[in-house]
Amino acid sequence: MTGRPLPVVLLHSAGQTPQMWQPQVEAIGADVRVIAPWLAGLRPGKPGDISLVAAAADVVSQLDRYGIEKAWLVGHQLGAMTALQVATSEPERIAGLVLSGAMLTPGRVALGVQKALIRMLPNQALADSGATKADLLRALDVIAGADFGAKIDSVDVPALVLAGASDPARTAAKQLAEALPQGLYVELDGAGTMPSIEAAAQYNQLLVHFLGLS
């Protein structure tokens, strides 16, 4: 690999903080510029509407602020959907995508099951993120309203779609990978809905290789 590696932007999920990416920051290494911003609407102390358009616009604004012309986007769940939104609206800014928990056309039935699970979560489970159950439910509504089917052909960049082998939504992840022009689908053993955390070593190996850093 020649020249300085392109920056990497890590986009967290609702109910998690940017700190969720610490294992990936360490795996990527100090030679690569890594940014892990709060998604618009989820920053503690700055409540706001959650929308993919607003979150994507904020990501692009941060790229501009840091003087970054093009970057890799890595995202999970709402962060992954935000990455797809950036890729469809500002494709020239994207070198490639690493996605988990994203869907091409989210099904309301499946998201309804996730909502039921969120309602049963103990409040303490969200304490570290500063998020509330209402935040997570709003995020699911945003995901449910997304439909990238008509735009997915324009996302013609390398795209790695990862899913835990026990993730109930892995079929949707596979469909997304098949729809992406350069999509590659990989399942991670021993992981469910949070592969970057539940199978961090395997996730990091795939990530670093895909970014061309190994």
Side-chain angles (χ1 to χ4, degrees), residues 40-43 46-51 135 138:
L42 292 178
R43 182 186 292 275
K46 292 186 177 180
D49 291 337
I50 300 173
S51 83
D135 291 333
R138 284 190 298 141

Side-chain angles (χ1 to χ4, degrees), residues 18-114:
Q19 188 67 22
M20 71 170 281
W21 296 113
Q22 188 57 38
Q24 286 69 52
V25 172
E26 294 174 1
I28 291 170
D31 292 337
V32 181
R33 191 175 193 179
V34 179
I35 301 169
W38 281 95
L39 288 181
L42 292 178
R43 182 186 292 275
K46 292 186 177 180
D49 291 337
I50 300 173
S51 83
L52 292 182
V53 171
D58 189 64
V59 170
V60 173
S61 176
Q62 295 203 47
L63 293 179
D64 292 340
R65 190 177 308 131
Y66 287 104
I68 297 172
E69 293 185 4
K70 182 173 286 193
W72 293 90
L73 297 189
V74 179
H76 181 61
Q77 292 178 348
L78 185 62
M81 299 296 279
T82 299
L84 277 173
Q85 182 68 38
V86 176
T88 56
S89 62
E90 303 275 354
E92 71 281 359
R93 308 298 296 271
I94 307 304
L97 301 166
V98 180
L99 309 171
S100 55
M103 304 177 187
L104 183 63
T105 52
R108 292 184 180 275
V109 173
L111 292 175
V113 172
Q114 292 187 38

